[in-house]
Amino acid sequence: MSALPANETRFLAGADALAREIPDGACIGLPPDYSPVAMAVVRALVRRGAKDLKLLGVPVLGLCADILIGAGCVREVETSAVTLGEAGLAQRFTAAAESGAVKIIDATCPMIHTGLQATEKGVPFLPLRGVLGSDLVKNHPDWKTIDNPYTTGDPILLAKAIVPDVALFHARWADEAGNVWVGRRGELATIAHASQACYVSFEELKRGDMLEDELLAPGCISSVYVTAVAPAPRGAWPLGVPGAYGIDDAHLQLYARLAKTAAGFQQYLDEFVLQPVSA
Amino acid sequence: MSALPANETRFLAGADALAREIPDGACIGLPPDYSPVAMAVVRALVRRGAKDLKLLGVPVLGLCADILIGAGCVREVETSAVTLGEAGLAQRFTAAAESGAVKIIDATCPMIHTGLQATEKGVPFLPLRGVLGSDLVKNHPDWKTIDNPYTTGDPILLAKAIVPDVALFHARWADEAGNVWVGRRGELATIAHASQACYVSFEELKRGDMLEDELLAPGCISSVYVTAVAPAPRGAWPLGVPGAYGIDDAHLQLYARLAKTAAGFQQYLDEFVLQPVSA
Amino acid sequence: MSCAKEELLAGCIARLIGDARHVAVGAASPIPAMAVFLLREMNRGRPRVSLLQKRSGNPFTEGSRELFDQAGQGRIDVFFLGGAQIDGEANINLVRAEGKRFPGSFGSAYMYFAAKKTILFREEHSLRVLVKKVEFVSAPGWSPPEVERHGGPVALLTGKALFLWQKERRRFQLQSVHPGSSAEDVRANTGFSYDAPALVPRTPEPTADELVLLRGSVARVIGENYPEFARRVWGALAGVGPA
Amino acid sequence: MSCAKEELLAGCIARLIGDARHVAVGAASPIPAMAVFLLREMNRGRPRVSLLQKRSGNPFTEGSRELFDQAGQGRIDVFFLGGAQIDGEANINLVRAEGKRFPGSFGSAYMYFAAKKTILFREEHSLRVLVKKVEFVSAPGWSPPEVERHGGPVALLTGKALFLWQKERRRFQLQSVHPGSSAEDVRANTGFSYDAPALVPRTPEPTADELVLLRGSVARVIGENYPEFARRVWGALAGVGPA
């Protein structure tokens, strides 16, 4: 892991180079399927045989988690859910959870955001209303109920600060200064701010410095947070990038059908993952 | 005050109409001089003879606070600082603070952000590192030191949730759906999220719905939060709007010179505030 | 029935929402989304709807945290939750049951407290789903008085029936039974006890006007965000819905 | 002196910053800003600088909260603070003194803990400013061991001298005296006690190369963000700086 603060974003050759930067055993913060996922890097992680990863869903996971779990790269998952959305259950996740092959820490969406916001603010915990009485509280190792110090008899839950080793996601643009543009996908900024290192694949390179552009800046994550970037055109495929291309629903259906069995999943890997794909 | 949730942004005629919506006694969250300030509305508040306002600086205040204080509209100020920046001291603030005419609650920037973030998250408090040992802690009515519940012997400060009655600021654009675009000035979003009502003057109207535009959406505050908007071309003058016009430094110097005395300030009011200005 | 089951359910949800100001729709909830868009067609654009997974023009400009923040601020009037299991105390389980793993709790443990009203919705109405006691509480149906809670369940809608939640009694009351089912059928397929009137009304179907809207403008917007669902529901109805 | 006082001070601050990776500059701090831009000219763009009030191309895309968040994340190496009063324990007062009201504490009470190094900077060197004990502690110079603190003062630079902070002794040590002053002058105008060597070195002036940069590219970028200041410093130097 690189030490904070990141200062000069490195430019790498592509998804495989990014995947080599992410060590075995790393805790990786990942966005949901509707926020650009660095799928090309996920496939590269499978190709390089990554091991013992811990996946953190911010706040839920989808295709990328199912593939990494199915390929045996994952030791542990903390998330609020793993789902393929309309394509149905994430079958490799389901199988691994039911067999105990992967340890699952169940959370609820805003508690994950809250734990990352704690790290973003440099505090050891943040409180959140609700959740009390859920069995999630009993089972989660890092949550704690206290009495609201401003009154009495008012229990409130705390999320301990979550510090992922790595933030990994895909961006519409990177620029020459190392800034990346993710638009309204604020969860990507939260992951980047809270993580020790941040790796971003990008669709296209923009000349200059997007922070100098008042229209682009609000959707940017500053290069302060970005460890390294690499080009990966259509790098979110079969998921989408808002404003660029949509989710390949037919491919997700195909995946969901194949991933029902270990053999089908292996067939998917052979065809779409283990061979570098130019889709 | 309108009840949450705001749902349909109302379109008002101009700055004076917005100022009439803000009742005497309201706690108004205001941005710093380098973030678009609704100066035209501030002048309209003076014209309508607003009284007993409480100003909350997010996180500091400048010209708008000095004018409102000098004009006798203000009962109380909570802020991390009041300054005219390069133009020097905010003289009406200084005079009112020294005479005791206005109650001052001194804060420090991130504690104000933190208190507003608590309201944004719907929690009664949020913690922040640092600050301990500052006399600010002794004097602030809403801050509390507790022991970090995750360990022992680790004191940490809490900010109580701050709930302004009104958020007031200026935006580059509003659109027909009632969304407003403020670009990278995230403190404006924080104020809007935390306040019971949100009034925004805007430079120009955009057709359609900016949330449908992936490039504009990241700099938008959704109409969910916006109670009413009104056009005010050059409405931040003599302050600036990034990407539209800069700070009128010469006018700030003029203001600073006049505001050194009560008589000079009155002359400024007569010339630039009490007559509606078309600058 | 002269309408699809999904249309009946959407009409029912629309009536439950009533005159709310802001309705949020979470992951994979096409039928609640149909209901809200139907209301908007009928009520000149009200209520406001925020679709968490809207593929273009997503209502949240700060990412997925903003839905929860809005709920915490009291800005969400109505939300929807389902469950792999739902019990008679309105507890929901989205995690595991009978050795099976489900996707997970999503934001349920928070939204069930923060949204002013939650409509529980699960099409499958069976002893497997509607149980005496959930195996895992993703989100509790009620909270003891010392726990701050701004909202909770108002109703449970299934493929067979509509129950209303009685907050004081902490029990469901059977409100109506859908065409094709009966009070006896509901009783036989519900694992928890509930109150019921001697004569159980039949759930009203959407009106002809509502059906026109559902199959026209509502189908189009649903098709953009839930393409598979829209194909399934309206694909069979020649000449309506998205291409 | 062959240079302006502001140039001497900026050169001094540049040496104090050294090889930091990320320097943040807060409100109304044109001389620290000069120092950082000078370093960047000499070191091919390092350190990164974040000017809180940069008028165009502001480095923070999430508004003014982001500076404090970055500091909390450990991403800010060097920050600058001043004081209406500064005392011998490095406490600073930005609020009130001798019946006078000052602008306020800004982010000092936080940044003094969170930035790895803080350089205290105040041009006025007088018994009024450098006091035995501040009347109001905006931000404390040191903290008891149980208080988590990631950084603190490293130096105090005034218009007369440079002091280094001795963390273990909780006292300043006089490091050098600027041209035009003397050890005796400093002693006579400092209200707190401090350590000093028998022979106090003179603060080195910027080199000729540094002056060229200060009056050229540095003056241009300072002029964009601190126009009044730039006019005052470089306006008198014919042919250099912004128009």
Side-chain angles (χ1 to χ4, degrees):
Chain A
M1 300 295 97
S2 73
L4 289 175
N7 277 278
E8 284 163 36
T9 305
R10 287 178 292 126
F11 285 77
L12 303 180
D16 288 280
L18 273 186
R20 280 193 295 274
E21 299 260 327
I22 299 171
D24 287 352
C27 170
I28 312 182
L30 292 163
D33 279 1
Y34 54 84
S35 189
V37 179
M39 284 306 302
V41 183
V42 165
R43 288 186 288 267
L45 281 167
V46 173
R47 284 196 293 277
R48 86 150 185 73
K51 283 275 169 271
D52 292 326
L53 300 177
K54 174 174 174 180
L55 309 185
L56 174 74
V58 186
V60 301
L61 293 166
L63 182 66
C64 67
D66 209 51
I67 290 178
L68 287 168
I69 291 167
C73 304
V74 177
R75 166 180 50 90
E76 188 175 324
V77 177
E78 176 170 356
T79 190
S80 306
V82 185
T83 170
L84 300 184
E86 276 214 287
L89 289 179
Q91 301 277 1
R92 293 299 95 209
F93 160 76
T94 307
E98 289 175 359
S99 74
V102 168
K103 181 181 172 192
I104 314 293
I105 300 178
D106 271 287
T108 186
C109 304
M111 281 297 278
I112 289 181
H113 292 306
T114 299
L116 291 170
Q117 280 184 290
T119 308
E120 185 176 63
K121 287 185 75 66
V123 292
F125 63 88
L126 287 183
L128 189 73
R129 283 294 186 193
V131 190
L132 298 174
S134 163
D135 285 340
L136 295 169
V137 179
K138 278 190 240 167
N139 289 278
H140 200 289
D142 294 332
W143 300 355
K144 202 177 176 72
T145 307
I146 65 162
D147 226 32
N148 173 3
Y150 280 90
T151 177
T152 54
D154 177 22
I156 189 167
L157 190 62
L158 305 183
K160 193 175 172 183
I162 302 172
V163 187
D165 298 313
V166 169
L168 174 64
F169 53 87
H170 186 70
R172 177 78 181 83
W173 294 298
D175 68 21
E176 291 172 315
N179 306 303
V180 298
W181 189 91
V182 298
R184 66 182 106 196
R185 300 311 331 165
E187 57 277 353
L188 302 178
T190 311
I191 308 174
H193 296 171
S195 296
Q196 292 290 302
C198 175
Y199 298 105
V200 185
S201 57
F202 61 89
E203 205 61 33
E204 288 174 86
L205 186 72
K206 271 215 189 276
R207 296 243 161 232
D209 182 341
M210 290 188 286
L211 297 199
E212 296 290 338
D213 182 323
E214 294 297 329
L215 278 184
L216 290 174
C220 281
I221 297 172
S222 159
S223 58
V224 168
Y225 308 100
V226 181
T227 310
V229 296
R234 290 191 72 79
W237 177 87
L239 302 173
V241 175
Y245 48 90
I247 296 179
D248 184 343
D249 291 297
H251 188 90
L252 250 64
Q253 298 285 345
L254 169 75
Y255 173 81
R257 204 166 58 242
L258 288 172
K260 278 182 186 153
T261 65
F265 177 76
Q266 188 58 48
Q267 185 190 329
Y268 181 87
L269 284 189
D270 290 341
E271 191 165 348
F272 295 103
V273 176
L274 297 174
Q275 314 288 334
V277 182
S278 61
Chain B
M1 301 293 96
S2 72
L4 289 174
N7 276 279
E8 282 164 37
T9 306
R10 285 177 294 126
F11 286 77
L12 303 179
D16 288 281
L18 273 185
R20 280 194 294 275
E21 299 261 327
I22 300 173
D24 288 352
C27 171
I28 312 183
L30 292 163
D33 279 1
Y34 52 85
S35 190
V37 179
M39 284 305 302
V41 182
V42 165
R43 288 186 288 267
L45 281 167
V46 173
R47 283 196 294 277
R48 87 149 183 75
K51 284 275 168 272
D52 291 326
L53 300 177
K54 175 175 174 180
L55 309 185
L56 175 74
V58 185
V60 301
L61 293 166
L63 182 66
C64 66
D66 209 51
I67 290 177
L68 288 168
I69 291 168
C73 305
V74 177
R75 168 180 48 91
E76 187 177 326
V77 176
E78 176 169 357
T79 189
S80 306
V82 184
T83 170
L84 301 184
E86 275 213 288
L89 289 179
Q91 302 277 0
R92 293 299 94 208
F93 160 75
T94 307
E98 290 176 358
S99 74
V102 168
K103 181 181 173 192
I104 314 292
I105 299 177
D106 271 288
T108 185
C109 303
M111 281 297 277
I112 290 181
H113 291 307
T114 299
L116 291 171
Q117 280 184 290
T119 309
E120 185 176 62
K121 286 184 76 65
V123 293
F125 63 87
L126 286 184
L128 189 73
R129 283 294 188 194
V131 191
L132 298 174
S134 163
D135 285 340
L136 295 169
V137 178
K138 277 191 241 166
N139 290 279
H140 201 289
D142 294 332
W143 300 354
K144 203 178 175 73
T145 306
I146 64 162
D147 227 32
N148 173 2
Y150 280 90
T151 175
T152 54
D154 177 21
I156 189 167
L157 190 62
L158 306 183
K160 193 175 171 183
I162 302 171
V163 187
D165 297 312
V166 168
L168 173 65
F169 53 87
H170 186 69
R172 177 80 180 84
W173 292 298
D175 68 21
E176 292 173 315
N179 306 301
V180 298
W181 189 92
V182 298
R184 67 181 105 195
R185 300 310 333 165
E187 57 277 352
L188 302 179
T190 311
I191 307 173
H193 297 170
S195 297
Q196 292 289 303
C198 176
Y199 297 105
V200 185
S201 58
F202 62 89
E203 205 60 36
E204 288 173 88
L205 186 73
K206 270 214 190 277
R207 294 243 161 232
D209 182 341
M210 292 189 285
L211 297 198
E212 295 291 337
D213 181 323
E214 294 297 328
L215 278 183
L216 290 174
C220 282
I221 298 172
S222 158
S223 58
V224 168
Y225 307 100
V226 181
T227 311
V229 297
R234 290 190 72 78
W237 176 86
L239 303 173
V241 175
Y245 49 90
I247 296 179
D248 183 344
D249 291 297
H251 187 89
L252 250 65
Q253 297 285 345
L254 169 74
Y255 174 81
R257 204 165 59 239
L258 289 172
K260 277 183 185 152
T261 65
F265 177 76
Q266 188 58 48
Q267 185 190 330
Y268 181 88
L269 285 190
D270 290 342
E271 193 166 347
F272 295 104
V273 177
L274 297 174
Q275 314 288 336
V277 182
S278 61
Chain C
M1 261 197 302
S2 63
C3 67
K5 173 60 81 61
E6 290 85 355
E7 293 169 334
L8 175 91
L9 296 172
C12 196
I13 292 174
R15 287 188 297 276
L16 287 169
I17 293 171
D19 68 347
R21 289 177 298 178
H22 185 186
V23 180
V25 179
S29 305
I31 293 175
M34 278 171 70
V36 189
F37 286 110
L38 174 61
L39 273 176
R40 284 170 60 80
E41 289 294 328
M42 296 190 299
N43 299 334
R44 289 170 298 137
R46 296 191 58 162
R48 173 188 288 272
V49 57
S50 292
L51 272 192
L52 183 56
Q53 294 190 7
K54 188 154 182 278
R55 288 186 172 189
S56 81
N58 191 285
F60 301 106
T61 64
E62 301 201 334
S64 57
R65 196 188 71 224
E66 196 177 0
L67 167 69
F68 306 105
D69 286 353
Q70 284 189 7
Q73 293 154 28
R75 295 185 201 268
I76 307 284
D77 294 331
V78 181
F79 195 65
F80 304 92
L81 290 172
Q85 293 181 323
I86 298 170
D87 72 20
E89 295 190 277
N91 298 307
I92 65 171
N93 172 11
L94 293 151
V95 168
R96 56 174 172 264
E98 297 177 339
K100 289 217 175 315
R101 170 74 210 197
F102 295 94
S105 301
F106 293 92
S108 62
Y110 180 78
M111 295 300 286
Y112 212 12
F113 288 70
K116 289 181 189 138
K117 297 178 180 181
T118 293
I119 297 170
L120 298 173
F121 174 58
R122 178 76 205 260
E123 274 192 86
E124 180 179 336
H125 188 139
S126 69
L127 294 171
R128 198 180 70 127
V129 170
L130 303 182
V131 297
K132 191 165 163 43
K133 183 76 194 153
V134 294
E135 281 184 47
F136 183 99
V137 178
S138 284
W142 59 273
S143 300
E146 72 272 17
V147 171
E148 187 171 302
R149 182 163 189 159
H150 297 288
V154 293
L156 164 62
L157 179 68
T158 72
K160 290 184 185 294
L162 170 65
F163 299 86
L164 297 187
W165 175 246
Q166 306 171 102
K167 193 181 170 194
E168 300 309 313
R169 304 199 65 192
R170 290 186 199 145
R171 276 169 73 82
F172 285 108
Q173 154 112 17
L174 183 59
Q175 173 73 7
S176 70
V177 171
H178 307 337
S181 182
S182 65
E184 297 66 35
D185 178 42
V186 167
R187 186 72 73 183
N189 285 285
T190 305
F192 56 76
S193 72
Y194 55 87
D195 298 332
L199 201 69
V200 181
R202 200 176 138 121
T203 307
E205 295 184 21
T207 64
D209 286 354
E210 287 170 345
L211 280 177
V212 167
L213 293 171
L214 281 168
R215 291 165 187 183
S217 44
V218 172
R220 273 192 296 281
V221 64
I222 293 296
E224 283 165 21
N225 295 290
Y226 306 93
E228 287 304 314
F229 172 84
R231 250 188 298 279
R232 185 157 52 75
V233 176
W234 292 293
L237 299 166
V240 301
Chain D
M1 261 196 302
S2 63
C3 66
K5 173 60 79 65
E6 291 84 356
E7 292 169 335
L8 176 91
L9 296 173
C12 196
I13 291 173
R15 287 188 296 276
L16 287 170
I17 294 170
D19 68 348
R21 289 177 296 179
H22 185 187
V23 180
V25 179
S29 305
I31 294 176
M34 278 171 71
V36 189
F37 285 111
L38 175 61
L39 273 175
R40 285 170 58 83
E41 289 294 328
M42 297 190 298
N43 299 334
R44 288 171 297 138
R46 294 192 59 159
R48 172 189 289 270
V49 56
S50 293
L51 272 192
L52 182 55
Q53 294 189 6
K54 188 155 183 279
R55 288 186 173 191
S56 83
N58 191 285
F60 301 106
T61 64
E62 300 201 334
S64 57
R65 197 187 72 223
E66 196 178 359
L67 166 70
F68 306 105
D69 286 353
Q70 283 188 8
Q73 293 155 26
R75 296 186 200 266
I76 307 284
D77 293 332
V78 181
F79 194 65
F80 304 92
L81 289 172
Q85 295 181 323
I86 299 171
D87 71 21
E89 295 190 277
N91 299 308
I92 64 170
N93 172 11
L94 293 152
V95 169
R96 55 173 173 262
E98 298 177 337
K100 290 218 176 311
R101 171 73 210 198
F102 295 94
S105 301
F106 292 93
S108 63
Y110 180 78
M111 294 301 286
Y112 213 11
F113 288 69
K116 289 181 187 139
K117 296 177 180 181
T118 293
I119 296 170
L120 297 174
F121 174 58
R122 176 76 205 258
E123 273 193 86
E124 179 177 337
H125 187 140
S126 69
L127 294 172
R128 200 180 69 126
V129 169
L130 303 182
V131 297
K132 193 165 161 48
K133 184 74 192 153
V134 294
E135 281 183 48
F136 183 99
V137 178
S138 282
W142 57 274
S143 301
E146 71 272 18
V147 171
E148 186 170 303
R149 181 162 187 159
H150 296 289
V154 294
L156 164 62
L157 179 68
T158 72
K160 290 184 185 294
L162 171 66
F163 300 87
L164 297 187
W165 176 248
Q166 306 171 101
K167 193 181 171 195
E168 300 309 315
R169 303 199 63 193
R170 289 186 200 145
R171 275 170 72 83
F172 285 108
Q173 153 110 20
L174 182 61
Q175 171 74 9
S176 69
V177 171
H178 307 336
S181 182
S182 66
E184 294 70 33
D185 177 43
V186 167
R187 186 72 73 182
N189 286 285
T190 304
F192 57 75
S193 73
Y194 55 88
D195 298 333
L199 202 66
V200 181
R202 201 176 137 117
T203 307
E205 296 183 20
T207 65
D209 285 355
E210 286 170 345
L211 282 176
V212 168
L213 293 172
L214 281 169
R215 292 166 186 182
S217 45
V218 172
R220 271 192 298 279
V221 65
I222 292 297
E224 283 164 21
N225 295 290
Y226 306 92
E228 287 304 314
F229 172 85
R231 250 188 300 277
R232 184 157 52 75
V233 176
W234 292 293
L237 299 167
V240 300

